[in-house]
């Protein structure tokens, strides 16, 4: 929840509306983070089974019209993950996209995943 609060505070600072916590997106994000951490390497947005975030969302029964994902590898706190995303134009863009209305976050070890959807 700390990372969601940071994302929403940043969105408010930039004049965007808040993202609402979504249990299904959280479950999806929580499934990807340990998988990446346990393989000891950054798996990126596509897991070894060939599923990207949108495929993982669909497999979890999540309906969406647009979606995105931020991943941080090597961050040991929500603040570190947020700072990394803030300093990356693509990740910062995901956090601020006006089309997103929901968010879910998962982490394991030093891997943080945020799933965004509308």
């Amino acid at each position: 929840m700390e990372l969601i609060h940071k994302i929403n505070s940043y969105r408010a600072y930039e004049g965007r509306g808040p993202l609402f916590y979504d249990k299904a997106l959280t479950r999806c994000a929580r499934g990807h983070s340990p998988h990446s951490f346990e393989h000891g390497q950054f798996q990126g947005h596509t897991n070894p089974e060939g599923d990207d975030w949108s495929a993982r969302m669909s497999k979890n029964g999540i309906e969406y019209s647009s979606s995105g994902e931020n991943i941080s590898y090597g961050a040991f706190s929500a603040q570190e993950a947020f700072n990394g995303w803030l300093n990356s134009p693509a990740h910062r863009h995901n956090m601020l996209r006006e089309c997103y209305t929901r968010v879910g976050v998962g982490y394991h070890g030093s891997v943080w995943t945020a799933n965004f959807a509308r």
Side-chain angles (χ1 to χ4, degrees):
M1 293 305 292
E2 180 184 353
L3 189 50
I4 292 172
H5 176 73
K6 290 181 181 306
I7 292 168
N8 277 333
S9 293
Y10 180 59
R11 286 177 64 87
Y13 175 78
E14 292 292 334
R16 307 297 197 286
L19 299 174
F20 297 97
Y21 169 79
D22 186 288
K23 288 182 186 180
L25 288 174
T26 296
R27 209 171 27 255
C28 189
R30 285 181 178 170
H32 188 63
S33 293
H35 192 68
S36 290
F37 183 81
E38 289 165 8
H39 282 86
Q41 59 184 2
F42 180 64
Q43 296 293 315
H45 298 285
T46 303
N47 63 22
E49 294 77 33
D51 296 330
D52 66 6
W53 74 86
S54 61
R56 290 191 300 276
M57 286 181 188
S58 294
K59 285 183 176 182
N60 280 283
I62 299 167
E63 294 183 14
Y64 58 90
S65 58
S66 60
S67 65
E69 180 175 73
N70 280 3
I71 300 174
S72 173
Y73 186 80
F76 292 97
S77 69
Q79 186 66 55
E80 284 184 47
F82 177 75
N83 288 346
W85 294 342
L86 196 59
N87 291 316
S88 161
H91 291 96
R92 187 172 56 247
H93 176 73
N94 261 353
M95 290 192 294
L96 292 176
R97 286 191 68 187
E98 291 189 41
C99 64
Y100 296 148
T101 57
R102 302 174 290 156
V103 65
V105 172
Y107 73 95
H108 186 89
S110 62
V111 178
W112 297 74
T113 305
N115 288 137
F116 303 94
R118 175 181 198 83

